[in-house]
Amino acid sequence: MIHQIADNVYCVGVNDWDTRTFHGHEMSTARGTTYNAYLVVDEKETVLIDTVAAHYTEELVANISQVIDPARITTIITQHAEPDHSGSLVRMKALAPGAQIICSNRGTDSINGHYHTDWPLRVVGTGDTLDCGRMKMTFFMAPMCHWPDSMMTHLGGPDILFSNDAFGQHFATPAVFDDQAQNDKLWFEAEKYYCNIITPYGRNVLNRLDELGTLALPVKMIAPSHGTIWRKQVGPILEAYRRWAQQQTENRVVVLYDTMYESTRHLADAISQGLEDEQIEYSRYNAAVTDRSDLLTEMFGARGILFGSPTWQMTVLPSISTLMEDIKTLRFKNRLVGGFGSYGWQKACVQHIEQRARDAGLEVPVEGITVQWRPREEDLERAREFGRQFAQAVKS
Ligand code: FEO
Protein backbone atom coordinates (compact mmCIF):
# COMPACT_ATOMS: atom_id res chain seq x y z
CA MET A 1 0.00 0.00 0.00
CA ILE A 2 1.32 3.45 -0.82
CA HIS A 3 0.77 6.68 1.06
CA GLN A 4 1.23 10.15 -0.35
CA ILE A 5 2.90 12.17 2.41
CA ALA A 6 3.35 15.43 0.47
CA ASP A 7 2.93 16.65 -3.10
CA ASN A 8 4.85 14.18 -5.29
CA VAL A 9 6.30 12.39 -2.27
CA TYR A 10 5.16 8.86 -1.46
CA CYS A 11 5.88 6.27 1.19
CA VAL A 12 6.24 3.07 -0.82
CA GLY A 13 7.55 0.78 1.92
CA VAL A 14 5.90 -2.13 3.67
CA ASN A 15 4.53 -3.12 7.04
CA ASP A 16 6.07 -6.31 8.40
CA TRP A 17 3.31 -7.45 10.72
CA ASP A 18 4.90 -10.83 11.35
CA THR A 19 8.44 -10.33 12.56
CA ARG A 20 9.01 -10.66 16.29
CA THR A 21 12.80 -10.31 16.32
CA PHE A 22 15.37 -8.04 14.75
CA HIS A 23 19.11 -8.24 14.16
CA GLY A 24 18.60 -11.97 13.78
CA HIS A 25 17.04 -12.87 17.11
CA GLU A 26 18.85 -10.25 19.19
CA MET A 27 16.06 -7.71 19.74
CA SER A 28 12.37 -8.31 20.25
CA THR A 29 9.84 -6.54 18.03
CA ALA A 30 6.53 -7.34 19.68
CA ARG A 31 4.66 -4.97 17.36
CA GLY A 32 6.44 -6.00 14.16
CA THR A 33 8.19 -3.31 12.14
CA THR A 34 8.03 -1.38 8.89
CA TYR A 35 10.60 -0.90 6.16
CA ASN A 36 9.93 2.58 4.85
CA ALA A 37 11.11 3.52 1.38
CA TYR A 38 10.20 6.87 -0.14
CA LEU A 39 9.63 7.96 -3.72
CA VAL A 40 10.08 11.58 -4.80
CA VAL A 41 8.78 12.38 -8.28
CA ASP A 42 10.01 15.67 -9.68
CA GLU A 43 10.78 17.30 -13.04
CA LYS A 44 14.48 16.46 -13.24
CA GLU A 45 14.75 13.48 -10.96
CA THR A 46 12.67 10.54 -9.77
CA VAL A 47 14.31 9.45 -6.56
CA LEU A 48 13.91 6.31 -4.47
CA ILE A 49 15.16 6.79 -0.92
CA ASP A 50 16.13 3.41 0.56
CA THR A 51 14.50 0.09 -0.24
CA VAL A 52 13.06 -2.70 1.91
CA ALA A 53 14.10 -6.09 3.28
CA ALA A 54 14.74 -8.57 0.46
CA HIS A 55 11.73 -10.78 1.15
CA TYR A 56 9.42 -7.79 0.58
CA THR A 57 11.03 -6.70 -2.69
CA GLU A 58 8.11 -7.50 -4.97
CA GLU A 59 5.77 -5.59 -2.66
CA LEU A 60 8.04 -2.57 -3.00
CA VAL A 61 8.06 -2.92 -6.78
CA ALA A 62 4.26 -3.15 -6.81
CA ASN A 63 3.98 -0.06 -4.61
CA ILE A 64 6.30 1.99 -6.82
CA SER A 65 4.42 0.79 -9.90
CA GLN A 66 1.22 2.35 -8.55
CA VAL A 67 2.93 5.74 -8.92
CA ILE A 68 5.36 5.38 -11.82
CA ASP A 69 7.07 2.81 -14.00
CA PRO A 70 10.12 1.79 -11.86
CA ALA A 71 12.28 2.16 -14.97
CA ARG A 72 11.78 5.93 -14.63
CA ILE A 73 13.76 6.07 -11.39
CA THR A 74 16.84 8.21 -11.99
CA THR A 75 18.43 8.10 -8.53
CA ILE A 76 18.46 5.57 -5.72
CA ILE A 77 19.73 6.90 -2.40
CA THR A 78 21.07 4.18 -0.14
CA GLN A 79 21.25 5.99 3.16
CA HIS A 80 22.50 2.92 5.03
CA ALA A 81 23.18 -0.51 3.58
CA GLU A 82 22.01 -2.71 6.44
CA PRO A 83 19.92 -5.31 4.60
CA ASP A 84 16.60 -4.18 6.08
CA HIS A 85 17.00 -1.06 3.91
CA SER A 86 19.14 -2.22 1.02
CA GLY A 87 17.66 -5.68 0.52
CA SER A 88 15.92 -4.71 -2.73
CA LEU A 89 18.78 -2.67 -4.18
CA VAL A 90 19.90 -5.27 -6.74
CA ARG A 91 16.36 -5.71 -8.02
CA MET A 92 15.71 -1.97 -8.21
CA LYS A 93 18.96 -1.36 -10.06
CA ALA A 94 17.96 -4.07 -12.53
CA LEU A 95 14.58 -2.41 -13.06
CA ALA A 96 16.15 1.04 -13.40
CA PRO A 97 19.61 0.33 -14.86
CA GLY A 98 20.26 3.96 -15.65
CA ALA A 99 19.71 5.10 -12.09
CA GLN A 100 22.66 6.52 -10.22
CA ILE A 101 23.20 5.23 -6.68
CA ILE A 102 24.01 7.84 -4.07
CA CYS A 103 25.59 6.89 -0.74
CA SER A 104 28.00 8.11 1.90
CA ASN A 105 31.73 7.48 1.69
CA ARG A 106 31.45 4.49 4.05
CA GLY A 107 28.39 3.35 2.11
CA THR A 108 30.71 2.23 -0.67
CA ASP A 109 32.14 -0.36 1.76
CA SER A 110 28.81 -1.68 2.95
CA ILE A 111 27.12 -1.72 -0.48
CA ASN A 112 30.05 -3.44 -2.19
CA GLY A 113 30.52 -5.74 0.79
CA HIS A 114 26.95 -6.90 0.74
CA TYR A 115 26.22 -7.04 -2.97
CA HIS A 116 29.62 -7.63 -4.67
CA THR A 117 28.77 -5.37 -7.59
CA ASP A 118 30.77 -2.90 -9.62
CA TRP A 119 28.11 -0.25 -9.87
CA PRO A 120 29.49 3.28 -9.98
CA LEU A 121 28.48 4.88 -6.70
CA ARG A 122 28.13 8.63 -6.28
CA VAL A 123 29.53 9.57 -2.88
CA VAL A 124 28.04 12.62 -1.18
CA GLY A 125 28.94 14.54 1.97
CA THR A 126 27.14 16.90 4.31
CA GLY A 127 25.80 19.91 2.44
CA ASP A 128 25.95 18.30 -1.01
CA THR A 129 22.73 18.72 -2.94
CA LEU A 130 20.65 17.15 -5.66
CA ASP A 131 18.51 19.42 -7.81
CA CYS A 132 15.34 17.42 -8.41
CA GLY A 133 13.50 20.17 -10.31
CA ARG A 134 11.05 22.02 -8.13
CA MET A 135 12.51 20.43 -4.99
CA LYS A 136 16.09 20.21 -3.77
CA MET A 137 17.71 17.51 -1.69
CA THR A 138 20.47 18.28 0.80
CA PHE A 139 22.50 15.44 2.22
CA PHE A 140 23.57 15.11 5.82
CA MET A 141 26.07 12.52 7.03
CA ALA A 142 24.98 10.78 10.21
CA PRO A 143 27.66 8.17 10.95
CA MET A 144 26.78 5.79 13.80
CA CYS A 145 23.11 6.66 13.63
CA HIS A 146 23.21 3.57 13.21
CA TRP A 147 26.28 2.42 11.21
CA PRO A 148 29.34 4.31 9.94
CA ASP A 149 27.60 4.52 6.54
CA SER A 150 24.41 6.16 7.86
CA MET A 151 23.26 9.40 6.27
CA MET A 152 20.09 11.45 6.02
CA THR A 153 18.42 13.40 3.23
CA HIS A 154 16.54 16.68 3.55
CA LEU A 155 13.94 17.47 0.92
CA GLY A 156 13.44 21.20 0.57
CA GLY A 157 9.94 22.29 -0.35
CA PRO A 158 7.90 19.97 1.83
CA ASP A 159 10.84 20.18 4.28
CA ILE A 160 11.04 16.50 5.10
CA LEU A 161 14.06 14.97 6.80
CA PHE A 162 14.44 11.36 5.70
CA SER A 163 16.35 10.16 8.73
CA ASN A 164 16.83 6.45 8.05
CA ASP A 165 17.17 4.51 11.35
CA ALA A 166 17.29 7.58 13.59
CA PHE A 167 13.91 8.50 15.13
CA GLY A 168 12.52 5.15 14.00
CA GLN A 169 10.37 2.61 15.78
CA HIS A 170 9.80 -1.10 15.27
CA PHE A 171 6.06 -0.51 15.06
CA ALA A 172 3.86 -2.01 12.36
CA THR A 173 0.70 0.06 12.28
CA PRO A 174 -1.85 1.40 9.81
CA ALA A 175 -0.89 4.88 11.09
CA VAL A 176 1.33 6.71 8.63
CA PHE A 177 1.86 9.75 10.84
CA ASP A 178 2.54 10.08 14.56
CA ASP A 179 -0.75 11.85 15.22
CA GLN A 180 -2.62 8.85 13.78
CA ALA A 181 -0.85 6.34 16.02
CA GLN A 182 -1.55 5.33 19.61
CA ASN A 183 0.79 7.76 21.29
CA ASP A 184 1.83 5.67 24.30
CA LYS A 185 2.76 2.73 22.09
CA LEU A 186 4.54 5.01 19.62
CA TRP A 187 6.73 6.56 22.32
CA PHE A 188 7.44 3.24 24.00
CA GLU A 189 8.61 1.82 20.68
CA ALA A 190 10.67 4.94 19.88
CA GLU A 191 12.46 4.71 23.23
CA LYS A 192 12.89 0.94 22.94
CA TYR A 193 14.43 1.45 19.50
CA TYR A 194 16.81 4.14 20.75
CA CYS A 195 17.77 2.20 23.87
CA ASN A 196 18.46 -1.11 22.17
CA ILE A 197 20.09 0.22 18.99
CA ILE A 198 21.44 3.74 19.32
CA THR A 199 22.46 4.07 23.00
CA PRO A 200 26.19 3.33 22.57
CA TYR A 201 26.51 6.25 20.17
CA GLY A 202 25.01 9.00 22.35
CA ARG A 203 27.96 11.41 22.05
CA ASN A 204 27.74 11.08 18.31
CA VAL A 205 23.96 11.65 18.35
CA LEU A 206 24.47 14.90 20.27
CA ASN A 207 27.06 16.05 17.74
CA ARG A 208 24.74 15.22 14.85
CA LEU A 209 21.84 17.07 16.48
CA ASP A 210 24.05 20.13 16.90
CA GLU A 211 25.30 19.88 13.34
CA LEU A 212 21.78 19.51 12.01
CA GLY A 213 20.90 22.69 13.90
CA THR A 214 23.74 24.61 12.27
CA LEU A 215 22.53 23.63 8.80
CA ALA A 216 19.31 25.49 9.69
CA LEU A 217 17.20 23.36 7.39
CA PRO A 218 13.49 23.71 8.10
CA VAL A 219 11.99 20.38 9.18
CA LYS A 220 8.24 19.92 9.05
CA MET A 221 8.38 16.13 9.02
CA ILE A 222 10.89 13.49 10.08
CA ALA A 223 10.43 10.39 7.97
CA PRO A 224 12.43 7.47 9.39
CA SER A 225 12.95 4.12 7.74
CA HIS A 226 11.02 2.28 10.46
CA GLY A 227 7.64 3.11 11.95
CA THR A 228 5.50 6.19 11.71
CA ILE A 229 6.44 9.60 10.32
CA TRP A 230 6.76 12.43 12.82
CA ARG A 231 4.83 15.56 11.84
CA LYS A 232 3.01 16.73 15.00
CA GLN A 233 5.79 15.83 17.41
CA VAL A 234 8.92 16.82 15.49
CA GLY A 235 10.13 19.01 18.36
CA PRO A 236 9.41 16.43 21.07
CA ILE A 237 11.22 13.59 19.26
CA LEU A 238 14.27 15.81 18.65
CA GLU A 239 14.23 16.79 22.33
CA ALA A 240 13.81 13.16 23.37
CA TYR A 241 16.84 12.13 21.30
CA ARG A 242 18.91 14.80 23.05
CA ARG A 243 17.63 13.63 26.45
CA TRP A 244 18.24 9.97 25.62
CA ALA A 245 21.69 10.70 24.17
CA GLN A 246 22.60 12.46 27.42
CA GLN A 247 21.25 9.40 29.29
CA GLN A 248 19.15 11.57 31.56
CA THR A 249 17.48 9.45 34.24
CA GLU A 250 14.54 9.66 36.64
CA ASN A 251 14.77 8.99 40.35
CA ARG A 252 13.29 5.52 40.18
CA VAL A 253 14.57 2.00 40.67
CA VAL A 254 14.24 -1.17 38.60
CA VAL A 255 14.61 -4.44 40.51
CA LEU A 256 15.66 -7.36 38.33
CA TYR A 257 16.20 -10.79 39.73
CA ASP A 258 16.25 -14.47 38.98
CA THR A 259 15.76 -17.21 41.52
CA MET A 260 16.19 -20.96 41.82
CA TYR A 261 14.60 -21.86 45.17
CA GLU A 262 12.86 -18.58 46.10
CA SER A 263 15.52 -17.27 48.50
CA THR A 264 16.55 -14.46 46.15
CA ARG A 265 12.87 -13.74 45.49
CA HIS A 266 12.25 -13.35 49.23
CA LEU A 267 15.14 -10.89 49.34
CA ALA A 268 13.52 -8.99 46.45
CA ASP A 269 10.29 -8.86 48.52
CA ALA A 270 12.11 -7.35 51.49
CA ILE A 271 14.11 -4.90 49.36
CA SER A 272 10.86 -3.79 47.71
CA GLN A 273 9.46 -3.04 51.18
CA GLY A 274 12.53 -0.91 51.86
CA LEU A 275 12.02 1.00 48.61
CA GLU A 276 8.38 1.55 49.54
CA ASP A 277 9.41 2.81 52.99
CA GLU A 278 11.35 5.53 51.16
CA GLN A 279 8.43 6.17 48.81
CA ILE A 280 10.55 5.89 45.71
CA GLU A 281 9.01 4.74 42.45
CA TYR A 282 10.16 1.26 41.49
CA SER A 283 9.31 -1.57 39.15
CA ARG A 284 10.24 -5.19 39.57
CA TYR A 285 10.73 -8.08 37.17
CA ASN A 286 11.83 -11.67 37.22
CA ALA A 287 14.39 -11.40 34.44
CA ALA A 288 14.12 -15.06 33.52
CA VAL A 289 10.53 -14.70 32.35
CA THR A 290 10.55 -11.14 30.98
CA ASP A 291 11.54 -9.94 27.51
CA ARG A 292 15.14 -8.76 27.55
CA SER A 293 14.73 -5.84 25.10
CA ASP A 294 11.77 -4.53 27.10
CA LEU A 295 13.76 -4.83 30.33
CA LEU A 296 16.56 -2.75 28.85
CA THR A 297 14.01 -0.11 27.86
CA GLU A 298 12.62 -0.13 31.40
CA MET A 299 16.12 0.27 32.84
CA PHE A 300 17.11 2.97 30.36
CA GLY A 301 15.46 5.90 32.14
CA ALA A 302 16.02 4.68 35.71
CA ARG A 303 18.70 6.08 38.00
CA GLY A 304 18.86 2.92 40.14
CA ILE A 305 19.16 -0.71 39.05
CA LEU A 306 19.19 -3.63 41.48
CA PHE A 307 20.29 -7.05 40.25
CA GLY A 308 19.50 -10.18 42.25
CA SER A 309 20.69 -13.72 41.62
CA PRO A 310 21.75 -16.74 43.56
CA THR A 311 25.27 -18.00 43.03
CA TRP A 312 25.21 -20.30 40.03
CA GLN A 313 28.32 -22.00 38.64
CA MET A 314 30.41 -19.51 40.65
CA THR A 315 28.70 -16.62 38.94
CA VAL A 316 25.10 -15.40 38.49
CA LEU A 317 22.22 -16.93 36.56
CA PRO A 318 22.33 -16.36 32.77
CA SER A 319 19.34 -13.97 32.68
CA ILE A 320 21.16 -11.57 35.03
CA SER A 321 24.56 -12.12 33.46
CA THR A 322 23.16 -11.23 30.03
CA LEU A 323 21.58 -8.00 31.25
CA MET A 324 24.80 -6.98 32.97
CA GLU A 325 26.69 -7.57 29.75
CA ASP A 326 24.02 -5.56 27.91
CA ILE A 327 24.36 -2.48 30.09
CA LYS A 328 28.10 -2.56 29.53
CA THR A 329 27.77 -3.07 25.78
CA LEU A 330 25.13 -0.36 25.49
CA ARG A 331 27.38 1.91 27.58
CA PHE A 332 24.80 2.82 30.18
CA LYS A 333 26.02 5.76 32.24
CA ASN A 334 24.96 7.68 35.33
CA ARG A 335 23.30 4.67 36.98
CA LEU A 336 23.58 3.43 40.54
CA VAL A 337 23.73 -0.36 40.80
CA GLY A 338 23.20 -2.69 43.72
CA GLY A 339 23.34 -6.46 44.11
CA PHE A 340 21.59 -9.06 46.21
CA GLY A 341 21.36 -12.82 46.22
CA SER A 342 21.51 -16.09 48.06
CA TYR A 343 24.03 -18.91 47.98
CA GLY A 344 24.51 -22.39 49.34
CA TRP A 345 28.21 -23.18 49.09
CA GLN A 346 29.99 -20.23 47.48
CA LYS A 347 29.40 -16.58 48.30
CA ALA A 348 30.07 -15.32 44.77
CA CYS A 349 26.88 -13.80 43.37
CA VAL A 350 26.87 -10.27 44.80
CA GLN A 351 30.61 -9.83 44.44
CA HIS A 352 30.17 -10.74 40.81
CA ILE A 353 27.32 -8.25 40.28
CA GLU A 354 29.21 -5.43 41.96
CA GLN A 355 32.42 -6.10 40.08
CA ARG A 356 30.67 -6.18 36.73
CA ALA A 357 28.85 -2.95 37.52
CA ARG A 358 32.16 -1.27 38.36
CA ASP A 359 33.74 -2.73 35.24
CA ALA A 360 30.94 -1.06 33.28
CA GLY A 361 31.84 2.26 34.90
CA LEU A 362 28.77 2.36 37.14
CA GLU A 363 28.68 3.31 40.80
CA VAL A 364 27.77 0.84 43.55
CA PRO A 365 26.67 3.16 46.36
CA VAL A 366 25.55 0.58 48.95
CA GLU A 367 27.20 -2.75 49.77
CA GLY A 368 24.97 -5.58 48.58
CA ILE A 369 23.08 -8.22 50.56
CA THR A 370 24.20 -11.84 50.46
CA VAL A 371 22.38 -14.59 52.36
CA GLN A 372 23.32 -18.25 52.80
CA TRP A 373 20.53 -20.77 52.21
CA ARG A 374 17.14 -19.29 53.08
CA PRO A 375 16.90 -15.80 54.55
CA ARG A 376 16.00 -15.57 58.23
CA GLU A 377 14.03 -12.64 59.62
CA GLU A 378 17.24 -10.77 60.47
CA ASP A 379 18.39 -11.23 56.87
CA LEU A 380 15.10 -9.86 55.60
CA GLU A 381 15.46 -6.84 57.85
CA ARG A 382 18.96 -6.29 56.46
CA ALA A 383 17.45 -6.47 52.98
CA ARG A 384 14.75 -3.92 53.91
CA GLU A 385 17.45 -1.61 55.20
CA PHE A 386 19.46 -2.16 52.02
CA GLY A 387 16.38 -1.11 50.00
CA ARG A 388 15.98 2.01 52.13
CA GLN A 389 19.64 2.98 51.78
CA PHE A 390 19.66 2.34 48.06
CA ALA A 391 16.54 4.48 47.64
CA GLN A 392 18.19 7.29 49.60
CA ALA A 393 21.26 7.08 47.36
CA VAL A 394 19.08 7.31 44.25
CA LYS A 395 17.12 10.27 45.63
CA SER A 396 20.28 12.12 46.61
FE1 FEO B 1 17.10 -0.37 10.11
FE2 FEO B 1 20.47 -0.13 10.86
O1 FEO B 1 18.94 -0.76 9.92
Side-chain angles (χ1 to χ4, degrees), residues 190-330:
E191 185 170 3
K192 179 176 177 178
Y193 190 95
Y194 183 94
C195 168
N196 282 269
I197 295 175
I198 312 284
T199 301
Y201 319 119
R203 167 48 42 200
N204 186 65
V205 169
L206 290 172
N207 290 340
R208 297 290 85 75
L209 288 169
D210 290 344
E211 204 173 311
L212 193 56
T214 62
L215 287 179
L217 297 166
V219 177
K220 292 180 184 159
M221 283 185 213
I222 296 178
S225 294
H226 298 289
T228 62
I229 297 167
W230 303 91
R231 67 175 176 187
K232 291 294 185 202
Q233 301 178 89
V234 168
I237 189 62
L238 287 168
E239 287 162 20
Y241 259 57
R242 188 170 290 282
R243 195 169 62 246
W244 294 336
Q246 292 168 337
Q247 297 210 27
Q248 292 183 18
T249 56
E250 300 162 345
N251 283 351
R252 60 181 172 86
V253 177
V254 181
V255 183
L256 304 162
Y257 65 99
D258 197 347
T259 190
M260 287 195 286
Y261 299 111
E262 307 290 302
S263 292
T264 300
R265 184 174 71 76
H266 289 314
L267 288 177
D269 292 343
I271 289 167
S272 300
Q273 288 167 13
L275 296 173
E276 287 173 27
D277 289 346
E278 287 294 324
Q279 298 184 324
I280 194 164
E281 181 184 341
Y282 78 94
S283 52
R284 175 179 155 177
Y285 301 91
N286 182 323
V289 293
T290 313
D291 180 85
R292 174 177 145 255
S293 308
D294 288 344
L295 283 181
L296 287 168
T297 311
E298 181 78 14
M299 293 154 69
F300 185 57
R303 172 84 168 133
I305 305 169
L306 290 172
F307 291 105
S309 171
T311 297
W312 175 80
Q313 312 286 41
M314 289 303 292
T315 177
V316 291
L317 285 165
S319 63
I320 297 301
S321 187
T322 302
L323 287 169
M324 297 213 71
E325 185 63 23
D326 282 334
I327 63 172
K328 184 178 179 187
T329 306
L330 293 177

Side-chain angles (χ1 to χ4, degrees), residues 22-23 80 82 84-85 146-147 164-165 170 193 225-226:
F22 210 75
H23 286 156
H80 164 46
E82 195 163 2
D84 51 327
H85 307 298
H146 159 226
W147 272 3
N164 196 258
D165 278 333
H170 287 313
Y193 190 95
S225 294
H226 298 289

